[in-house]
Amino acid sequence: MTSILRLIVFSLIGLFTFFIPITINGKSSIPLDHMVTWVQTTFPTLVPYYALMVILLGAIYPFYNKTWNKDTVTKVFSLLKVVGLIVAVMLMTDVGPAVLFDPNIGPFLYEKLVIPVGVLVPIGAVFLAFIVGYGLLEFIGTLLQPIMRPLFKTPGRSAIDAVASFAGSYSIALLITNRVYKEGKYSLKEAMVIATGFSTVSATFMIVVASTLGFMDMWNTFFWTTLLITFIVTAISVRIWPLRNEEEVYYTGTPIQEEKVEGNIFKAAWNSGVQAASHAPSLGKNILTNLKDGFVMVMSILPSILSVGLIGLLLAEQTPVFDWLGYVFYPITALLQIPDALLAGKAAAIGIAEMFLPALLVAEAAFVTKFVVGVTSISSILFFSASIPCILATEIPVKISRLVVIYIERVILTIIIATPIAFLLA
């Protein structure tokens, strides 16, 4: 009985925090967003220094745990984290080149991206304990088993990875994917599909995108539309090159087939959730574990976001690089009659550097443009500031060139699917 109560009560608390809008001071948003707003408005002078402290710790961490020189990718990103720290110090001390203090560059990046992410991730991690720690994840994963193979050509157990991404983070999902792949339960092709098709940013990060674009008053519409489109795009991408042609080989050489759920699927899902809840640690321990994981994650991503984000914004504002790259997607955005079609194409192109940058670029654009770009920035999944290095850090053998191709395919497919929906909602 205790396990059933834990599953029901804790899951409902988690779902309420992330998905039920409430109105406070005239603003309708989910409770998690209200908490972040309260922290930022109550401690306006302390929050920037808190973000600076997180960036400092994040820049030191790879050298402290001696992982900075593990491989070329890690070396590059360890260096970028140091660059992020230098940029943060310059912004906080008002010392540095004039271009850095352009309101649309440094201050914009720090105030609209770095600080919200720095506050949101740890708070979000605390409440993720209610969603991922007491059986809801296993319940949904088991319930989705029958649709995974027909739709995505992956085993039923991959539903856990898909749910873990939206409920937790791509890094958590990739850890799960890597472990299961090494156990011989995923083939190379299945692992590639899961890593590039399910491991998107979590609901926590999606809130930052929605908030930047002014969509918190329609959060549930934005979230569920994005989730649906992401998985539709994944279902299509597994049927085209390069994913279609990936090899069905196994890390262990011999595959381990999963047990199929027999009988009543809802009963099996319920039993799976209750069993997970019965083995879960205490709430206090679970929250502490999630808080620690969330803080380590925010330490890892905040300096990278600042450095890669700054490079991306400087290239976007000061050079024609992303204007040129935007022409890759411009024929599609123009054909679909998206307002500011070239801007939308440019935003789609800049997303491969850092997934938050497209939202910053179109924050003042028309609704349709903002909606399409917002959905695309999440559905595209792959970006160089975090998710691509995470994938490269796994044991899954993958080429960067193929990841770039998959990114382009996902962007094009998302724009095509999201545009008519955006016009209907406008």
Side-chain angles (χ1 to χ4, degrees):
M1 189 64 186
T2 305
S3 300
I4 294 173
L5 282 173
R6 289 172 114 195
L7 171 59
I8 295 172
V9 174
F10 291 156
S11 297
L12 286 175
I13 291 171
L15 291 170
F16 170 75
T17 306
F18 278 92
F19 298 112
I20 307 301
I22 57 174
T23 302
I24 298 178
N25 295 329
K27 178 188 175 184
S28 176
S29 190
I30 56 172
L32 180 60
D33 186 47
H34 285 302
M35 293 177 207
V36 172
T37 301
W38 180 83
V39 170
Q40 288 184 248
T41 52
T42 307
F43 309 103
T45 54
L46 291 179
V47 170
Y49 289 99
Y50 154 77
L52 178 62
M53 180 197 72
V54 173
I55 291 170
L56 171 64
L57 294 173
I60 293 170
Y61 194 64
F63 300 95
Y64 171 76
N65 64 10
K66 297 181 172 59
T67 59
W68 71 273
N69 59 351
K70 184 175 70 174
D71 52 47
T72 304
V73 173
T74 309
K75 286 178 184 175
V76 170
F77 276 89
S78 295
L79 178 62
L80 284 170
K81 286 174 183 178
V82 174
V83 172
L85 173 60
I86 294 168
V87 171
V89 170
M90 286 194 292
L91 286 170
M92 293 300 293
T93 57
D94 289 327
V95 175
V99 68
L100 181 64
F101 298 97
D102 182 322
N104 294 319
I105 305 288
F108 186 63
L109 201 58
Y110 202 78
E111 292 164 19
K112 298 293 183 183
L113 184 54
V114 171
I115 290 174
V117 170
V119 175
L120 184 64
V121 172
I123 297 175
V126 169
F127 287 95
L128 280 172
F130 294 91
I131 287 182
V132 303
Y134 294 96
L136 183 63
L137 205 64
E138 288 74 14
F139 172 78
I140 295 173
T142 305
L143 210 56
L144 291 177
Q145 271 196 22
I147 71 169
M148 299 309 289
R149 180 69 67 183
L151 278 181
F152 307 113
K153 301 184 182 296
T154 60
R157 61 172 68 94
S158 62
I160 295 290
D161 301 64
V163 177
S165 292
F166 275 93
S169 74
Y170 55 83
S171 57
I172 293 170
L174 284 168
L175 284 173
I176 297 171
T177 304
N178 191 46
R179 187 181 69 216
V180 178
Y181 169 67
K182 289 172 70 177
E183 290 172 355
K185 296 176 181 176
Y186 290 154
S187 68
L188 169 59
K189 181 177 182 177
E190 290 165 350
M192 279 287 292
V193 170
I194 295 160
T196 62
F198 297 155
S199 302
T200 187
V201 294
S202 68
T204 311
F205 285 87
M206 289 172 67
I207 292 167
V208 179
V209 175
S211 182
T212 302
L213 296 173
F215 290 160
M216 287 312 296
D217 59 339
M218 54 175 288
W219 161 247
N220 274 303
T221 302
F222 179 73
F223 175 84
W224 293 110
T225 303
T226 303
L227 183 145
L228 181 63
I229 290 174
T230 298
F231 290 147
I232 291 172
V233 168
T234 299
I236 297 170
S237 64
V238 302
R239 291 166 168 82
I240 58 178
W241 185 87
L243 287 175
R244 185 186 62 190
N245 298 91
E246 289 292 344
E247 294 180 285
E248 292 281 3
V249 294
Y250 289 80
Y251 186 86
T252 56
T254 309
I256 298 175
Q257 301 299 334
E258 72 175 348
E259 292 181 21
K260 291 186 179 179
V261 175
E262 301 291 343
N264 188 318
I265 186 72
F266 186 85
K267 185 178 179 181
W270 177 256
N271 290 337
S272 180
V274 171
Q275 187 177 11
S278 68
H279 291 102
S282 68
L283 181 60
K285 186 176 180 181
N286 215 336
I287 286 175
L288 283 174
T289 301
N290 274 269
L291 183 59
K292 180 187 172 186
D293 290 346
F295 196 74
V296 169
M297 180 186 288
V298 83
M299 277 169 45
S300 174
I301 60 177
L302 224 55
S304 299
I305 282 176
L306 186 54
S307 58
V308 177
L310 179 65
I311 293 166
L313 272 184
L314 287 173
L315 288 173
E317 296 281 340
Q318 306 291 325
T319 76
V321 170
F322 283 105
D323 290 316
W324 297 335
L325 292 176
Y327 282 107
V328 173
F329 304 109
Y330 176 65
I332 298 152
T333 56
L335 189 65
L336 293 170
Q337 298 184 7
I338 297 173
D340 300 315
L342 187 55
L343 177 65
K346 184 177 178 180
I350 203 175
I352 199 166
E354 161 56 50
M355 64 82 52
F356 289 117
L357 292 181
L360 297 179
L361 211 59
V362 301
E364 304 300 323
F367 174 86
V368 169
T369 307
K370 291 196 295 183
F371 191 88
V372 172
V373 169
V375 173
T376 302
S377 69
I378 294 157
S379 175
S380 57
I381 289 180
L382 302 165
F383 53 99
F384 276 102
S385 71
S387 70
I388 290 177
C390 278
I391 293 172
L392 294 173
T394 67
E395 300 292 324
I396 304 166
V398 59
K399 295 178 180 176
I400 290 180
S401 57
R402 291 206 167 187
L403 293 178
V404 172
V405 171
I406 293 168
Y407 173 82
I408 293 171
E409 288 176 350
R410 293 192 66 89
V411 167
I412 292 171
L413 288 168
T414 303
I415 291 172
I416 292 169
I417 298 167
T419 301
I421 296 172
F423 276 110
L424 282 173
L425 293 172

